[in-house]
Amino acid sequence: MSSPSAAPAAAIRSVVAAGGRRLVELLPGRADWSAVRRAPRRDLVAGLTVAVVALPLALAFGVTSGLGAEAGLVTAVVAGAVAAVFGGSNLQVSGPTGAMTVVLVPIVQQYGTTGVLMVGALAGLILLALALARLGRFVRYLPVPVIEGFTAGIAVVIALQQVPAALGVTDVHGERVWAVAADAVTRFVVAPRPATLAVALGVAAVMLIGARWRPGLPFSLVAVAAATLLAELAPVDLLRIGALPQGLPAPSLDFLDLGAVGVLLPAALAVAALAALESLLSATVADGMTVGQRHDPDRELFGQGLANLAAPLFGGIPATAAIARTAVNVRAGAVSKLAALTHAVALALIVLVAAPLVGRIPLAALAGVLLATTVRMVEAASLWALARATRGDALVLVLTFVVTVVWDLVTAVAVGVGVAVVVALRAVARSARLEQVPLDPGEHTAEEQELLAEHIVAYRLDGPLFFAAAHTFLLRLSDVADVRVVILRMSRVSTIDATGAHVLGDAIQRLEGRGITVLLSGIVPGHDQVLDTLGVAARLRGDGLVFPDTPAAIAHARTLVPVSHSGTRR
C-alpha cells in the first residue's frame, strides 16, 4: 500500500520530467550545427557585413535609450551572440532596436539604469515561460493593420527622439516624446546651431541616396566616418559620444532588487511582449526572403529570453531581433547561425580595438543614421493599400499609429488588436443568417402544401451562432407569427458558444409561450454538448422534438398539423 504522499510526489516527478523534455527540445540540436558546416565562408562574410551596418545603429540606439552608447554596444555583442546560438532562426540578428528604445525611454526616466536592467532580466524570464508554454505560434494571428500601424508609429517616435541631438540641444523637457521634440525646436530657435543640424541631415541624405544608388554598400558607416573626420578637422563644436571602455564590463548582479519585482513587472511584461512580437515578425520576414528556411517560434522566444537574461549582467539594455539587420544578413548570403554569431564577435573586437575612435563620433551623426532608418522603415505603398482595403482596416491602422505616437507602443498594440477583434466579430456576426426555407412538397397536393406552409415554417441557421450574432438572431426568430410548428435546421451552424445557446433557448421559450412547437434538426456533433449543458436541447430531446435530419423533423411536424383530404385542418 502506497503512502498518502506518493501520488503528489509522482505528479511532481512527472511535471519535472515533462519540463526537462521540453527544455531539451528548445536547446540547439544537431541540425543547427550541420547548417553551420554547410557554407562557413558565406556566413563569415555575411556576419562581417552585418557588423558594419550594426555598429552605428547599436551606438545610436544605446544613446537614444538613455543608457549610453556603451550599453548599445554591449547589447549588440552579448544579446546578439546568445540569441544567435539559442534562437529558433538560422538567419536572425538580434540587438538593440528602435522599437525597444521607444518603450525603454519612459522606463529609464521613471526607474533609472538599475530599473531598466531589472526589467530586462524579468522580461527574459517571461520570454522563457512563453517558450516553455508553446505560445510562439500565436503571433501569426496579429492583424496586419496593427503591425503596419505601430511600425509607422515607431518610425515617427524614433524620428522625434532624434530632434534634440540633431539640433544640438541639451537639457530638454517633456512627458512625451513629441513634447520633448517641441521643446528642443523652441530652444534651437532661440540659440541655433546650424552645423549640428547640417551634420545630421547630411548623414541621413548620404544613407538614403546611397541606398538607392548602391544598396549593398554600408553607407551608414561611410557617412558616420565622414562626419567624424569633419568634426575633427573643421572648427565646429559638436557633442560627441564620449569615452568608451576598451572591453566588455565584468558581469554583475548588483542591479537585482527582488523587492522591486512587483513595481517593475508591468514594464517587464511590455518589454517581453515587444521582444516576442518583433522577434517573431522578423523571423517570419526572414523566412519569406529565403527558400527552405523555417524558424521555430518557441525556440526563438527561448533564445530571446536567454539573451535578455544575459545582457543586463553586462549593463546591456533589453534586446530583440532587428528586422533591418536580419534582412542585411539574408541578402549577404547567410545560411546558418554562424553569420549572426560572427556579427557579435566582430562588434566585440571593434570595442576592444577602436573604442577611443568610436567615442569621437558626433551625436548628430548618430541622429542622422536613425533619421534615415525611420524613413526606410515606412512602406508608404503598403500603408496606402491597407488604408484603402476596408474601412475597418483603415480604422485599425490609423488608431494604432496615433496611439503609438501620442501614448506608447504597448497601449497602441492593445488598442489596435482590440479594435481589430471588434471589427472582425462584426463582420463574422453579419455572416450569420436565419433564412426561411420551403418545405419539401412530397406527395401532398398544391392545396395541402399551401395549407401546411401556413402552419409549419422551417428556418435554416447559417454561419456562427455566438455572442456577436445572438441578438440579431433572437429578434428575427421572435418575430415569427401565425404558425403552429417551427423547424430549426442546425446542420449549417459553424460554431455555437454559451451566449448563442442561451439566446437560442430564450427564443424557443418565447415561441413555446405563444403555443408554437419548436423542432430541432441536424445538430452538428460537438454542438449538442453546449446545447445540453445549458438545458436547451435536453428538454426538447426528452419530448421527442430533436431529429437527426430535416426530413424526419418535417414528417413529425405534419403529424402535429394533420390535413384532411378536403384540404382543411382536422
Side-chain angles (χ1 to χ4, degrees):
M1 184 174 175
S2 60
S3 64
S5 62
I12 293 174
R13 285 195 298 271
S14 176
V15 170
V16 171
R21 289 192 297 271
R22 179 62 181 151
L23 184 60
V24 171
E25 292 174 0
L26 294 171
L27 293 174
R30 183 178 300 175
D32 296 299
W33 309 123
S34 299
V36 168
R37 294 194 295 269
R38 192 181 310 159
R41 182 176 299 178
R42 288 175 61 185
D43 285 328
L44 291 172
V45 172
L48 293 174
T49 303
V50 177
V52 169
V53 174
L55 175 61
L57 291 174
L59 295 170
F61 288 136
V63 172
T64 303
S65 71
L67 268 68
E70 178 189 353
L73 276 177
V74 166
T75 304
V77 173
V78 176
V82 174
V85 173
F86 293 97
S89 170
N90 285 333
L91 309 171
Q92 194 93 283
V93 178
S94 299
T97 64
M100 188 61 76
T101 60
V102 172
V103 176
L104 293 180
V105 168
I107 298 176
V108 174
Q109 294 173 348
Q110 189 169 0
Y111 302 111
T113 300
T114 56
V116 171
L117 300 181
M118 187 70 182
V119 164
L122 289 174
L125 292 174
I126 294 169
L127 289 169
L128 292 179
L130 294 178
L132 291 169
R134 306 176 190 270
L135 297 181
R137 71 197 74 174
F138 291 105
V139 75
R140 71 186 68 170
Y141 300 115
L142 195 68
V144 171
V146 174
I147 297 171
E148 295 289 346
F150 83 66
T151 300
I154 286 169
V156 172
V157 171
I158 295 173
L160 291 173
Q161 287 176 340
Q162 308 318 306
V163 171
L167 299 179
V169 177
T170 58
D171 194 28
V172 288
H173 303 284
E175 292 186 2
R176 301 288 180 183
V177 63
W178 46 266
V180 173
D183 185 45
V185 171
T186 302
R187 293 172 183 269
F188 179 80
V189 171
V190 175
R193 301 184 66 175
T196 304
L197 180 59
V199 168
L201 295 180
V203 169
V206 169
M207 287 182 60
L208 294 174
I209 296 172
R212 287 183 173 273
W213 178 49
R214 293 287 180 85
L217 295 180
F219 280 98
S220 59
L221 189 64
V222 172
V224 169
T228 305
L229 184 62
L230 176 66
E232 292 295 324
L233 299 179
V236 291
D237 182 21
L238 296 176
L239 298 175
R240 313 296 181 98
I241 289 177
L244 292 175
Q246 291 185 273
L248 294 177
S252 171
L253 291 173
D254 291 343
F255 64 89
L256 281 183
D257 182 5
L258 298 181
V261 170
V263 176
L264 297 176
L265 188 59
L269 289 170
V271 169
L274 177 59
L277 178 64
E278 192 169 10
S279 297
L280 295 178
L281 287 176
S282 176
T284 302
V285 170
D287 289 347
M289 296 174 65
T290 60
V291 177
Q293 291 281 2
R294 289 293 177 268
H295 74 282
D296 183 325
D298 292 326
R299 283 188 59 194
E300 183 58 32
L301 291 181
F302 183 75
Q304 295 297 332
L306 291 179
N308 279 284
L309 278 176
L313 298 177
F314 298 88
I317 60 178
T320 180
I323 295 177
R325 274 157 276 175
T326 299
V328 171
N329 194 39
V330 174
R331 293 193 186 104
V335 295
S336 78
K337 297 172 177 290
L338 180 61
L341 184 60
T342 300
H343 135 271
V345 173
L347 289 177
L349 292 176
I350 291 173
V351 172
L352 291 172
V353 175
L357 181 60
V358 171
R360 299 298 297 169
I361 295 175
L363 292 177
L366 298 183
V369 170
L370 293 185
L371 287 173
T373 302
T374 60
V375 173
R376 295 165 64 177
M377 284 176 65
V378 179
E379 295 286 347
S382 177
L383 292 176
W384 180 239
L386 280 174
R388 292 185 301 167
T390 66
R391 284 184 293 181
D393 288 332
L395 176 63
V396 172
L397 177 71
V398 172
L399 272 179
T400 306
F401 171 80
V402 171
V403 176
T404 299
V405 176
V406 176
W407 280 280
D408 60 76
L409 180 63
V410 177
T411 303
V413 172
V415 170
V417 170
V419 174
V421 168
V422 172
V423 170
L425 288 178
R426 184 168 177 264
V428 172
R430 285 183 168 183
S431 70
R433 297 191 305 274
L434 180 68
E435 180 181 0
Q436 185 174 348
V437 293
L439 297 174
D440 182 11
E443 298 179 353
H444 290 269
T445 65
E447 184 179 5
E448 289 175 333
Q449 179 62 29
E450 182 179 353
L451 186 60
L452 285 169
E454 291 178 357
H455 300 286
I456 302 174
V457 293
Y459 285 94
R460 183 175 62 218
L461 281 70
D462 282 338
L465 182 57
F466 70 130
F467 68 93
H471 181 66
T472 302
F473 168 80
L474 177 61
L475 291 178
R476 292 193 59 187
L477 192 57
S478 298
D479 287 340
V480 175
D482 299 327
V483 296
R484 295 270 299 278
V485 180
V486 170
I487 301 172
L488 298 181
R489 299 173 60 176
M490 307 286 291
S491 60
R492 295 193 182 182
V493 175
S494 58
T495 185
I496 184 169
D497 68 357
T499 303
H502 178 78
V503 168
L504 177 63
D506 191 15
I508 292 172
Q509 288 183 355
R510 293 191 185 191
L511 292 173
E512 290 177 336
R514 290 157 47 197
I516 299 173
T517 302
V518 179
L519 311 181
L520 299 182
S521 72
I523 298 176
V524 177
H527 295 174
D528 49 357
Q529 180 180 356
V530 179
L531 295 172
D532 287 343
T533 301
L534 295 176
V536 176
R539 181 179 54 79
L540 295 179
R541 189 175 282 109
D543 293 338
L545 302 178
V546 177
F547 301 89
D549 52 49
T550 301
I554 292 175
H556 183 75
R558 285 171 174 159
T559 66
L560 300 177
V561 186
V563 181
S564 68
H565 291 290
S566 61
T568 58
R569 275 188 304 161
R570 283 189 281 174

